[in-house]
Amino acid sequence: MSGIAMTPEMSLITDSVKDANARIRFFRVAFGSAGAGQMIALREIRSILDDVHGRTKVDWQADADMTRAEAKLAFLLILCLESSMPRGGTITLRRDETTWRFYAKGDRMAPKPSLWALAAAIQPSPQGDPEDEVSPGDVHFALAGHAAEAAGARPAALLGDALIEVSF
């Protein structure tokens, strides 16, 4: 349409732009504001997750629209699970009337219990010991804890070498 031939280089650039846009849409849900009663459509969530490519595949099995606050917490927990899966894997998300469940499987799991305590909103952000401080790359764990608290949720995580299960 623009008169530019779709060479392999242009195809690579096009794919990179699509991936970057998808990540921005994902981050807008995860890190954006979630006003009271504000909803997000299931088709938008699936569109975002279908467009995001990486080492981790997300199988979203929740089948209804939801509040933006719920989606925000779910997306932050997906980021937490991705951080615990250095070689990637699969995250399966299920939601029934009262409970959310996330199952993460990968070749090598590396969960950090102190970070998951932040995500579960059972431990305040560390202060004092520099070794216990949250690094910029792990800030989503603390934000998940705040989002859980704001949503009245209490995520519980079972951390294993081959599987991580999170529910709330």
Side-chain angles (χ1 to χ4, degrees):
M1 293 226 229
S2 64
I4 298 175
M6 190 52 84
T7 63
E9 293 83 4
M10 286 304 295
S11 180
L12 182 62
I13 291 169
T14 300
D15 290 345
S16 294
V17 169
K18 282 183 189 175
D19 288 346
N21 282 332
R23 280 312 258 189
I24 289 169
R25 289 172 51 218
F26 183 95
F27 292 149
R28 286 184 68 198
V29 174
F31 299 110
S33 71
Q38 193 177 17
M39 300 295 289
I40 186 167
L42 175 63
R43 75 177 184 285
E44 182 178 352
I45 291 168
R46 288 206 171 130
S47 171
I48 291 168
L49 294 174
D50 287 347
D51 291 346
V52 174
H53 300 287
R55 295 184 311 240
T56 304
K57 178 186 180 303
V58 178
D59 180 12
W60 186 279
Q61 295 180 7
D63 60 356
D65 296 349
M66 65 197 62
T67 65
R68 199 153 187 98
E70 286 178 299
K72 176 184 180 89
L73 177 55
F75 277 36
L76 285 167
L77 288 172
I78 289 169
L79 288 173
C80 294
L81 289 165
E82 281 182 331
S83 294
S84 298
M85 304 166 65
R87 292 189 182 161
T90 301
I91 299 169
T92 302
L93 184 145
R94 295 186 181 119
R95 175 183 174 220
D96 61 28
E97 300 298 318
T98 60
T99 307
W100 286 79
R101 295 197 188 286
F102 298 73
Y103 304 93
K105 293 181 184 178
D107 289 340
R108 187 176 141 243
M109 306 299 272
K112 295 179 181 173
S114 62
L115 292 175
W116 279 101
L118 284 174
I122 58 174
Q123 171 183 316
S125 296
Q127 298 171 348
D129 188 356
E131 211 159 293
D132 288 336
E133 287 185 15
V134 178
S135 72
D138 293 327
V139 73
H140 45 282
F141 285 92
L143 293 173
H146 289 288
E149 195 173 334
R154 191 79 183 260
L158 297 172
L159 308 176
D161 294 334
L163 173 74
I164 298 173
E165 181 180 340
V166 180
S167 61
F168 64 90

